[in-house]
Amino acid sequence: MKWIIKNISFTVPNGKKVAIVGPTGAGKSTISRLLFKFYEPKSGGIYINHLNINKISQQSLREMIGVVPQDTVLFNDSIHYNIAYGNTKASEEQVISAAKNADIHDFISSLPDGYQTIVGERGLKLSGGEKQRVAIARTILKNPKIFFFDEATSALDTSTEKEIQKNLEKVSKNKTTLIIAHRLSTAANADQIIVLDKGEIIEQGTHEELLAQKGKYFEMWGKQKPTIQV
């Protein structure tokens, strides 16, 4: 039997931000699938407020966690519907407030049909950054106990990535947040960074502490850090 991750133990404290980083194949995606009960661990457990998630229904678990994924799925419906999907009982004012907090309200207002603009495969094609802002607005509206950013900026260009990072940091301030990231810039401001490699935790600490160790994180940061050209 091949183990994808092994001997892993970590805690995401209430109100804190923890990031999991590592090279491709390190086991980052497996952790997200375990969190959502797509897989069950062969041993050990995952707990939210000391309660094993096996004791929590899948629906209740998904209500607790708000996800901004790598590639946001849009329904063939209005932008309003796509945002309101985060909380179908939300009022018009709440939808607009969420859009404002995700910095997409002005863009929506500039469209001829505004919030009733049809998006998706048969409607207006949104850019990667616009889709992520819809996902952020959707998550704000959901008002979850836990924020989960799953490679939320990895499909974006560098300029858009920086803008979305600011949005993510704003909406998750003082919120319990788990970040899965390949791009280290997404994780640099986390309270704790966990470095995975070949299914195991090899380093952990703050961004500054990990750079000072001059280990795997330091090596990855050196490769990913943008160079400045004069």
Side-chain angles (χ1 to χ4, degrees):
M1 180 185 293
K2 182 184 177 183
W3 296 92
I4 300 173
I5 55 175
K6 50 190 180 290
N7 301 324
I8 282 182
S9 179
F10 64 89
T11 301
V12 183
N14 282 335
K16 297 295 184 181
K17 191 175 299 182
V18 172
I20 300 174
V21 304
T24 302
K28 302 187 299 296
S29 297
T30 300
I31 289 176
S32 65
R33 292 182 184 123
L34 285 167
L35 178 62
F36 283 100
K37 294 170 69 171
F38 296 146
Y39 303 152
E40 285 197 14
K42 293 293 183 185
S43 63
I46 300 168
Y47 298 82
I48 296 178
N49 288 337
H50 308 291
L51 181 64
N52 193 311
I53 63 170
N54 286 337
K55 308 281 187 185
I56 304 171
S57 70
Q58 198 128 24
Q59 181 178 346
S60 296
L61 185 64
R62 290 180 178 179
E63 286 173 359
M64 288 181 185
I65 304 171
V67 184
V68 180
Q70 177 178 352
D71 187 24
T72 300
V73 175
L74 295 180
F75 301 102
N76 291 306
D77 210 311
S78 67
I79 292 182
H80 183 283
Y81 177 88
N82 273 277
I83 294 174
Y85 183 74
N87 177 4
T88 54
K89 297 177 181 178
S91 66
E92 180 82 15
E93 291 75 18
Q94 288 172 315
V95 170
I96 292 172
S97 176
K100 286 179 177 177
N101 283 322
D103 288 336
I104 196 171
H105 172 73
D106 289 348
F107 165 75
I108 297 171
S109 299
S110 73
L111 300 171
D113 294 325
Y115 280 83
Q116 297 310 310
T117 301
I118 302 299
V119 294
E121 291 302 313
R122 293 192 291 273
L124 178 70
K125 299 292 188 292
L126 299 185
S127 70
E130 289 156 359
K131 286 172 68 176
Q132 290 307 77
R133 286 194 173 91
V134 169
I136 293 168
R138 191 184 280 174
T139 306
I140 291 169
L141 202 59
K142 186 176 183 180
N143 192 27
K145 293 180 179 177
I146 300 167
F147 279 99
F148 180 43
F149 303 147
D150 190 5
E151 301 277 16
T153 64
S154 63
L156 305 175
D157 61 80
T158 305
S159 175
T160 307
E161 178 196 16
K162 288 179 180 176
E163 294 173 8
I164 296 299
Q165 276 178 357
K166 289 178 184 176
N167 288 135
L168 295 176
E169 286 179 24
K170 180 175 75 174
V171 302
S172 64
K173 189 175 182 181
N174 300 322
K175 294 273 192 175
T176 306
T177 306
L178 179 62
I179 300 167
I180 304 285
H182 178 72
R183 288 187 182 176
L184 301 187
S185 53
T186 308
N189 290 328
D191 297 294
Q192 182 81 353
I193 301 170
I194 294 166
V195 185
L196 277 188
D197 194 18
K198 297 176 182 174
E200 295 188 274
I201 295 174
I202 58 168
E203 296 169 5
Q204 53 186 319
T206 64
H207 174 70
E208 290 77 15
E209 288 168 350
L210 291 171
L211 288 181
Q213 288 179 27
K214 297 197 173 178
K216 186 70 175 179
Y217 184 88
F218 177 84
E219 176 191 328
M220 292 168 62
W221 181 260
K223 288 179 180 177
Q224 291 189 20
K225 188 178 179 183
T227 56
I228 299 174
Q229 296 181 341
V230 180

